[in-house]
Amino acid sequence: MTVNDDSFTNWMHREEIAESMIPIIGKLHREQDVTVLLHSRSLVNKSVVSILKTHRFARQIAGEELSITETFPFLQALTTLDLGPSQIDLGLLAEAYRADDRGLSVAEFTAEAVAGATGDNKIERREGRDVVLYGFGRIGRLVARLLIEKAGSGNGLRLRAIVVRRGGDQDIVKRASLLRRDSIHGQFQGTITVDEATSTISANGNEIKVIYANDPSEVDYTAYGIDNAILIDNTGKWRDREGLSAHLRPGIDKVVLTAPGKGDVPNIVHGVNHGDIKPDERILSCASCTTNAIVPPLKAMNDEYGVLRGHVETVHSFTNDQNLLDNYHKADRRGRSAPLNMVITETGAASAVAKALPELKAPITGSSIRVPVPDVSIAILSLRLGRETTRDEVLEYLRDVSLHSSLKRQIDFTTAPDAVSMDFVGSRHASIVDAGATKVDGDNAILYLWYDNEFGYSCQVIRVVQHVSGVEYPTFPAPAV
């Protein structure tokens, strides 16, 4: 047998293991509300190749490829346990087991590591929480995809309705088509059917009512059987408490804005200050995509090194509020053609840092350039640190943060030497540290942070909604604080 034959045989063996993992992962998710992760990446509803690629990706952040033959025994061990709703990371289990020298079996070690999710310690499966989308643009449709994806167990968030203004003939058919196919993010993973007579979209069995209204005051959600719902406003039309309060109609309990909030509306960046949300807070904001991209790394750097001052320059993909061709726009430069120009504009992300990270006293300035790409942006974060350090030290620290800290779902890490923006379409992290571009000189550090300003941000929105709804389940092994 040749070396190539050996390699192919090994590949087929790993494919076979991945195939056997899929039904186990699905059953744990459906029957016990357990989400199986691999270094923070969900393996639920993933294909054989996706599971293998996720294992291989671990080498970028852990230094070596994670073998599926190593993680499979931990998955098998989970099936023997009386698990409650939780998220369990096979990558962290395997890593912790390698470092353990007590001679425990995989089954014994797994039972100990996830003890907080078993027996008397497990939390009860919660009733599903109704969700309403107000607006159905770029962020609204991606949030809808995520809500539908996460509805598999039937005990989480349930997308019940979408509120839009009627756009004309076959409005619901055209909106369903936009949900079904996306030029950037690809095909919807599943099936979608439309019932025009009842204004209903069925997506993977989820019945979603399309409600036509010109103003929040026109809707009584209880008339559609919706109760105690969380409404996600994707329009950005109202940003202060007074305007957003109009959504607090019968059937709606809380309002989440997918844009920076104004006045006393809390701006939440999941992973950083979501724990500060007061139980009785009914209106909150998920801030901006750029704020979500820079605040977690800022917190990480401030915690370890201290940050004395900083500047963020965002190179941002163009958005819907720009013109395809030169035309009137209320802003100074955004009227110029988005696909043809780099457009200097402003960003409120720097000033928004204070709301999400009040312990950071350093002044942070910011500016932005819109560029002719449809998605994925990069934030260049230039920092003056509280002490001198080295590039190797900073990279090793941020790599560790991306793997083991409470920010591991927000901060990703790549060492790919040829990484470009399109490589990060579909990233579920708030930002990705580009190791190759990082620069450190004494107490000065420059971080290059990629972020999918559409999908990564939508994932952050969902995390906030899960938290306020009470369906954000604990992760095991528990990440470091």
Side-chain angles (χ1 to χ4, degrees), residues 115-426:
T118 61
D120 293 338
N121 294 322
K122 69 180 183 182
I123 59 178
E124 294 301 317
R125 299 180 76 177
R126 301 187 176 106
E127 290 296 319
R129 187 72 176 268
D130 290 351
V131 178
V132 172
L133 295 180
Y134 198 96
F136 204 48
R138 296 297 301 157
I139 299 301
R141 292 194 295 274
L142 291 178
V143 168
R145 285 189 175 200
L146 287 164
L147 288 168
I148 295 163
E149 171 193 300
K150 295 178 181 298
S153 67
N155 291 275
L157 302 173
R158 302 180 301 198
L159 177 56
R160 296 292 308 281
I162 298 164
V163 184
V164 292
R165 293 183 177 182
R166 187 179 293 276
D169 293 341
Q170 290 195 306
D171 180 276
I172 191 172
V173 173
K174 292 177 180 178
R175 293 186 189 277
S177 183
L178 286 169
L179 178 62
R180 186 181 290 115
R181 288 177 288 270
D182 189 281
S183 299
I184 297 169
H185 300 283
Q187 298 277 344
F188 173 79
Q189 297 301 303
T191 62
I192 293 175
T193 58
V194 175
D195 188 334
E196 291 187 79
T198 60
S199 292
T200 302
I201 296 173
S202 178
N204 290 356
N206 296 267
E207 298 291 325
I208 307 163
K209 183 73 174 180
V210 178
I211 302 170
Y212 293 103
N214 294 315
D215 187 82
S217 63
E218 299 178 8
V219 189
D220 177 355
Y221 294 95
T222 59
Y224 302 96
I226 296 169
D227 181 54
N228 196 37
I230 299 172
L231 183 144
I232 305 174
D233 184 326
N234 307 290
T235 68
K237 183 176 180 180
W238 306 277
R239 297 195 179 189
D240 59 11
R241 187 173 295 276
E242 180 181 1
L244 292 168
S245 293
H247 287 304
L248 295 173
R249 307 280 299 153
I252 301 299
D253 178 56
K254 295 181 185 293
V255 179
V256 175
L257 172 65
T258 62
K262 296 182 178 180
D264 67 341
V265 174
N267 279 251
I268 305 301
V269 174
H270 191 275
V272 176
N273 67 335
H274 68 277
D276 297 336
I277 300 174
K278 297 176 181 177
D280 60 350
E281 179 58 74
R282 302 188 71 189
I283 295 174
L284 53 92
S285 155
C286 290
S288 71
C289 56
T290 302
T291 302
N292 276 266
I294 66 173
V295 167
L298 267 173
K299 173 175 172 52
M301 294 297 287
N302 189 55
D303 287 349
E304 179 67 17
Y305 301 102
V307 173
L308 303 182
R309 65 173 179 267
H311 175 81
V312 60
E313 187 77 34
T314 68
V315 182
H316 199 291
S317 58
F318 60 75
T319 61
N320 275 340
D321 80 322
Q322 294 174 257
N323 294 329
L324 286 175
L325 297 173
D326 291 359
N327 209 340
Y328 173 80
H329 195 292
K330 63 181 181 180
D332 290 337
R333 304 181 200 242
R334 293 193 190 185
R336 302 300 298 277
S337 172
L340 298 178
N341 295 290
M342 293 189 291
V343 179
I344 298 174
T345 185
E346 71 285 342
T347 176
S351 58
V353 169
K355 274 193 168 185
L357 194 61
E359 66 264 30
L360 180 68
K361 305 303 181 183
I364 305 291
T365 58
S367 53
S368 180
I369 302 173
R370 298 285 179 91
V371 295
V373 295
D375 186 31
V376 180
S377 305
I378 191 166
I380 305 168
L381 191 58
S382 181
L383 303 175
R384 174 77 180 278
L385 304 177
R387 65 176 174 86
E388 292 192 355
T389 182
T390 65
R391 182 175 180 273
D392 287 345
E393 182 188 341
V394 168
L395 289 177
E396 186 56 35
Y397 169 65
L398 292 175
R399 184 201 299 269
D400 187 67
V401 167
S402 74
L403 280 171
H404 304 114
S405 79
S406 58
L407 293 172
K408 65 181 181 178
R409 286 201 289 172
Q410 284 69 45
I411 299 175
D412 204 0
F413 189 92
T414 181
T415 58
D418 55 351
V420 293
S421 59
M422 286 299 290
D423 297 332
F424 304 103
V425 171

Side-chain angles (χ1 to χ4, degrees), residues 13 19 38 42 50 90 94 102 233 236 249 276 289 336 338 346 356 379 394 403 431 435 441:
H13 176 59
E19 287 169 354
L38 191 78
S42 173
S50 292
L90 298 182
R102 292 175 294 165
D233 184 326
R249 307 280 299 153
D276 297 336
C289 56
R336 302 300 298 277
E346 71 285 342
V394 168
L403 280 171
S431 61
D441 182 10

